[in-house]
Amino acid sequence: MSDEQKNNGVPAPREDSGDVIGVRKGMFGANNGGDTSGYGGLVRTVTLPGASSRPYGGWFDEVADELEGALEEQDLLPANAIEKTVVDRGELTFHIAREHLLTVARTLRDDPALRFELCTGVSGVHYLGDKGRELHAVYHLRSLTHGRLIRLEVSAPDSDPHIPSLVAVYPTNDWHERETYDFFGLVFDGHPALTRIMMPDDWQGFPQRKDYPLGGIAVEYKGAQIPAPDQRRSYS
């Protein structure tokens, strides 16, 4: 990438075209001729961004270099901790192996050249088609010292939804981790009190997972019940 390209904000080149995790047909997923949008013949793949290759552009390379060097100083090979680095839509994302998340987070917080002092929370994502890594936790880290913002992303399979808690590194993550556990079922190992924060303590399942049933949940108001979508109006 030339200096002119960097200055024009051209994104870093991709080493691959990304991970295809599904195929969607039509505009709204309706089938059996029920798509009334006029786009029933539309077929498109669902792809997660692939790894980017250097140079990433701007200060992204400085952060990547410093993080990799700081991990090496701790006798941790960067390739073992950072699964891939993605530059997409003007954001820098490090995909971190969950067993090294605590080490990477402490390094990003404490290294003088990095100083990502603030984690603004964690969000859960459920990709049914991302086999073996269906559950993702996404963290936004901000450096107040250097005025920078990066993302960390960690994945876990549905069958083993465990990720280390970052409360010991970023105490503000306390309630954010509880919310992500409540809605997605991600278990944050080491959290001081991992309990539901929105749903009742005895609630079954995790409402924001893609395979969670819609509707049909009993409502505690005069014995009412919300019918499931397939018992209401359907175009499929």
Side-chain angles (χ1 to χ4, degrees), residues 184-207:
F184 291 91
L186 273 165
V187 179
F188 293 92
D189 296 329
H191 189 283
L194 193 63
T195 57
R196 290 191 182 271
I197 193 171
M198 296 289 200
M199 309 303 291
D201 290 339
D202 59 351
W203 193 266
Q204 299 297 312
F206 306 102

Side-chain angles (χ1 to χ4, degrees), residues 33-216:
D35 191 330
T36 60
S37 68
Y39 291 89
L42 181 66
V43 178
R44 58 193 177 94
T45 58
V46 181
T47 307
L48 299 181
S52 300
S53 57
R54 288 177 179 272
Y56 303 136
W59 55 264
F60 289 178
D61 290 283
E62 298 174 29
V63 170
D65 290 341
E66 185 60 36
L67 176 58
E68 291 176 7
L71 293 177
E72 288 174 346
E73 291 175 0
Q74 301 173 66
D75 297 322
L76 176 58
L77 287 175
N80 291 340
I82 305 172
E83 296 175 339
K84 67 176 178 180
T85 301
V86 175
V87 176
D88 185 61
R89 294 170 175 83
E91 293 185 317
L92 174 64
T93 303
F94 296 108
H95 289 251
I96 306 299
R98 56 180 172 171
E99 62 269 23
H100 298 301
L101 177 60
L102 277 169
T103 300
V104 171
R106 285 198 184 97
T107 302
L108 287 166
R109 183 193 66 180
D110 297 339
D111 189 283
L114 295 169
R115 285 287 187 236
F116 286 91
E117 308 100 329
L118 175 65
C119 178
T120 59
V122 56
S123 301
V125 191
H126 189 207
Y127 295 111
L128 278 173
D130 196 9
K131 299 303 181 184
R133 35 183 290 129
E134 293 87 355
L135 292 166
H136 290 231
V138 181
Y139 305 83
H140 289 82
L141 305 185
R142 183 175 291 279
S143 172
L144 304 179
T145 299
H146 301 293
R148 294 169 173 174
L149 179 68
I150 64 171
R151 301 167 77 250
L152 299 184
E153 190 161 338
V154 184
S155 63
D158 270 337
S159 58
D160 181 26
H162 289 264
I163 289 177
S165 170
L166 287 189
V167 172
V169 182
Y170 296 109
T172 53
N173 256 27
D174 190 341
W175 285 16
H176 295 283
E177 290 183 4
R178 286 180 59 195
E179 183 182 48
T180 304
Y181 160 71
D182 195 359
F183 288 148
F184 291 91
L186 273 165
V187 179
F188 293 92
D189 296 329
H191 189 283
L194 193 63
T195 57
R196 290 191 182 271
I197 193 171
M198 296 289 200
M199 309 303 291
D201 290 339
D202 59 351
W203 193 266
Q204 299 297 312
F206 306 102
Q208 288 192 352
R209 287 199 185 190
K210 291 296 190 294
D211 53 1
Y212 188 81
L214 298 175

Side-chain angles (χ1 to χ4, degrees), residues 7-20:
N7 293 334
N8 289 336
V10 177
R14 294 280 170 74
E15 293 178 354
D16 56 63
S17 57
D19 302 319
V20 177

